[in-house]
Amino acid sequence: MPEQNQDLVEGNPLILSEQEKELVRRIGTTVNYPKGQIIFAADEVADRVYLIEKGWVKIYRLSSDGREVTVGSIRNPGEMMGLAETVYHGKRTCFAGAISRVTLVVVLKKDFFELLTHEHYLALKVAKLLAARMREAEAMVHELVCCQVPGRLALLLLKIGERCGIPEDEGVKIELRLTHEEIAGMIGTTRQTVTSLLNTFKREKSIEFQGREIKILDPEKLVSWIV
Amino acid sequence: MPEQNQDLVEGNPLILSEQEKELVRRIGTTVNYPKGQIIFAADEVADRVYLIEKGWVKIYRLSSDGREVTVGSIRNPGEMMGLAETVYHGKRTCFAGAISRVTLVVVLKKDFFELLTHEHYLALKVAKLLAARMREAEAMVHELVCCQVPGRLALLLLKIGERCGIPEDEGVKIELRLTHEEIAGMIGTTRQTVTSLLNTFKREKSIEFQGREIKILDPEKLVSWIV
DNA sequence: CAATTATTGTCGGCTACCTGACAATTGTTT
DNA sequence: AAACAATTGTCAGGTAGCCGACAATAATTG
């Protein structure tokens, strides 16, 4: 059972506290999705929000040539998703896909808004959450503009490691079984480039492969790729 | 006097309504900044938010080699700024610089939060605002990943035109007097590339220069650059 | 368990775009 | 008006990373 990096829960505005989760659970329905399932799609009406209980979800758009572009980051257990579009407008602009087997609490927009007006400190929490995501998105833009591909890949690995990595002897294991194609979509490059760079990182012993999982051995070395 | 595209005010979540602005004005102080002035800087304590009354502001970060990277879009009159960082954490992560002469209403965090709890529908407005910005940032990421430089420049011109362009006979004039360097920072490319592309656009009569201002003559042609 | 599909590894050519360098023009200061 | 600074225009390398193609594994399916 992957135990979350505990210091990230307290004070992390992205993750709901146990009480907050409880409030959401009370007005929602729990649902399971198998790996690979699409949870919502672009152009659908955004009439519900989700709380992730178990598993990971990727938020992506489709480019004109059909490639998946991960515009948000990966959403972890304890996070909400589908928030921005539900709070704001009518329609989804992106897709949400289950990276692993996922358990979600689904809450209808109407019920969610009612909760927000009653527990009105929650409205502030939502604002904080969106603010934190904003910052993340801005950081992403910054990286895309300033770093080249090796740096972006190194950064991605480090970020994923921090977010949902499992500390082990001699490194941090990333249990998400991302394909190189998925990784490429997250940092704006091609599959081939990801393959070759990961092998470069492996050769210099920054990372190691365990089956299809990646283990970060030397974060320092990865950092040095970030130009 | 640049009159805002009226249909963008109603229903545009980025721009405050007249009543909302009035509420903000009542608890804030009006200040003027000359063109070029830095309004806030990275690492400062984020203890205030701003309402833009007149002029335009760019939100940017500095890359390690000193280039300005515009991570948010340009902020227009009627918009708030400095919101995300004030709502969320302690410190600014980016800079705000006056593109033109600017008039702002400055509101202290404490007072702003008090307003939010009293006029609690305003908290929802803030959430909506941040949600809209999120979407914008995600669109930016998508563009950076999927479009090449000519497409990104075309898109930028079209977006600026829509946001703060002034419809004229035979086109839309962009009154912001952006330098090619500034434009480069907004789409992640170099100054030289911007210069040469703008001239390409001029040659095909998609745009025209009026002094240092740009006028969009043929949006269709610009769209066709977006691969 | 074989058969099929998905994922990874590798390589050569190609091109979009960056880098640096310098001249021409425009804007600003004294 | 002269002097200076900032912005724009242009051009010749150089290169990071894309594209296509194919082989080698690994994972799924019937």
Side-chain angles (χ1 to χ4, degrees), chain B residues 120-176:
Chain B
H120 96 299
Y121 90 102
L122 256 186
L124 197 67
K125 175 79 181 191
V126 168
K128 273 189 191 167
L129 221 147
L130 290 170
R133 292 252 174 87
M134 261 307 297
R135 205 180 257 207
E136 232 178 37
E138 286 182 352
M140 188 71 212
V141 170
H142 184 97
E143 282 158 28
L144 282 170
V145 169
C146 295
C147 306
Q148 13 211 48
V149 177
R152 304 209 295 265
L153 180 57
L155 256 167
L156 180 76
L157 292 175
L158 290 167
K159 279 194 284 189
I160 294 185
E162 246 183 69
R163 277 286 185 71
C164 41
I166 298 154
E168 274 186 355
D169 34 302
E170 303 281 328
V172 175
K173 191 155 98 190
I174 296 170
E175 288 221 314
L176 302 175

Side-chain angles (χ1 to χ4, degrees), chain A residues 56-73:
Chain A
W56 288 275
V57 178
K58 64 179 167 185
I59 307 292
Y60 60 94
R61 297 185 176 201
L62 288 182
S63 69
S64 48
D65 54 321
R67 295 191 328 126
E68 288 183 11
V69 185
T70 306
V71 289
S73 48

Side-chain angles (χ1 to χ4, degrees), chain B residues 186-206:
Chain B
M186 296 184 195
I187 58 175
T189 182
T190 57
R191 191 227 93 215
Q192 293 94 318
T193 306
V194 171
T195 302
S196 119
L197 280 173
L198 283 179
N199 282 315
T200 307
F201 291 171
K202 186 177 86 176
R203 249 175 272 124
E204 63 160 30
K205 305 215 186 304
S206 313

